[in-house]
Amino acid sequence: GENVEQHPSTLSVQEGDSAVIKCTYSDSASNYFPWYKQELGKRPQLIIDIRSNVGEKKDQRIAVTLNKTAKHFSLHITETQPEDSAVYFCAASIVNGNQFYFGTGTSLTVIP
Amino acid sequence: GAVVSQHPSRVICKSGTSVKIECRSLDFQATTMFWYRQFPKQSLMLMATSNEGSKATYEQGVEKDKFLINHASLTLSTLTVTSAHPEDSSFYICSAAAPGLAGVYEQYFGPGTRLTVT
């Protein structure tokens, strides 16, 4: 089955700096990679996703890159703000499939 | 966007009793619902996957007789924790999935249920 690894587990950055979270996956059949943000005590929310037919996707300050050959994908947050502080989860899935495999999460703290 | 509700949001029960948690997709039909357990500052641990009208598929190590899952309709799934013990205290989150654009299954999470077993 699929195995998703996520690093780092914790990350602290100064406000305004960039944050990068990396995930690797093992199953080459995975072709859909969503990222979720979970604020303390709240539900995970989808913030961005990427499919394997593209290498990069950007939405304002958030971007995701995908390297299919190396089987890794990354979340990039630029100009971080305190409200970006949360736990971020990556996941891997297959288009038309209903199995999601989550990474272990990264606790991001943005220091004002 | 799609909304998933979960009830109750918090529940405290005594050891040995059973607790039922409901998960509803409010504005879409969910072909699949997932149940997760989350410990403080830890990742989501998938407990089981349930498709409407069929038996749930449990992950390894999850006792199906203890965590009963019923998915009677495309909008409702229930998780019953039977004979609860203090070690079952946790945050339980459901999610509902349905095919979105171009066949991608989009997953929407419920707000979670905090279970405390005394």
Side-chain angles (χ1 to χ4, degrees):
Chain A
E2 175 66 280
N3 180 45
V4 178
E5 295 188 356
Q6 184 171 346
H7 299 280
S9 57
T10 60
L11 178 61
S12 292
V13 299
Q14 290 291 137
E15 183 177 358
D17 287 350
S18 296
V20 180
I21 302 170
K22 299 181 180 181
C23 287
T24 61
Y25 61 100
S26 61
D27 190 346
S28 56
S30 292
N31 54 12
Y32 174 62
F33 307 94
W35 285 89
Y36 296 87
K37 175 183 179 183
Q38 186 179 25
E39 297 178 32
L40 189 63
K42 296 187 178 180
R43 74 186 82 189
Q45 300 268 21
L46 177 69
I47 56 172
I48 195 168
D49 56 17
I50 191 168
R51 296 179 63 171
S52 60
N53 57 348
V54 297
E56 183 174 0
K57 184 176 178 181
K58 191 173 181 180
D59 182 3
Q60 299 182 340
R61 296 187 297 108
I62 295 174
V64 57
T65 59
L66 171 65
N67 183 325
K68 280 183 60 178
T69 304
K71 296 197 190 73
H72 66 70
F73 55 111
S74 300
L75 177 71
H76 304 252
I77 306 174
T78 59
E79 301 173 24
T80 54
Q81 300 167 5
E83 51 265 39
D84 295 329
S85 296
V87 178
Y88 292 81
F89 295 98
C90 64
S93 183
I94 297 175
V95 171
N96 294 325
N98 61 1
Q99 290 291 325
F100 288 80
Y101 300 90
F102 283 87
T104 49
T106 296
S107 178
L108 172 65
T109 301
V110 179
I111 304 166
Chain B
V3 178
V4 177
S5 71
Q6 204 171 324
H7 178 80
S9 58
R10 290 178 178 270
V11 57
I12 301 172
C13 70
K14 292 186 176 180
S15 187
T17 61
S18 296
V19 173
K20 180 185 282 189
I21 303 170
E22 290 187 350
C23 178
R24 292 180 185 272
S25 57
L26 298 185
D27 51 1
F28 69 103
Q29 293 185 324
T31 48
T32 306
M33 287 188 172
F34 304 90
W35 286 95
Y36 298 88
R37 186 172 178 175
Q38 188 175 36
F39 293 102
K41 297 185 179 181
Q42 292 192 26
S43 186
L44 300 159
M45 185 193 81
L46 180 64
M47 299 175 66
T49 301
S50 119
N51 293 295
E52 183 262 342
S54 60
K55 290 184 178 180
T57 302
Y58 289 81
E59 295 298 302
Q60 191 173 12
V62 178
E63 300 175 59
K64 62 180 181 180
D65 294 330
K66 181 170 183 63
F67 298 99
L68 302 178
I69 291 172
N70 184 278
H71 192 164
S73 75
L74 286 171
T75 59
L76 173 64
S77 177
T78 60
L79 167 68
T80 301
V81 183
T82 63
S83 187
H85 289 105
E87 56 265 31
D88 297 326
S89 298
S90 190
F91 192 55
Y92 293 87
I93 302 179
C94 72
S95 72
L101 295 175
V104 172
Y105 266 78
E106 298 176 350
Q107 183 173 190
Y108 302 94
F109 287 88
T113 296
R114 173 73 59 193
L115 170 63
T116 303
V117 184
T118 60

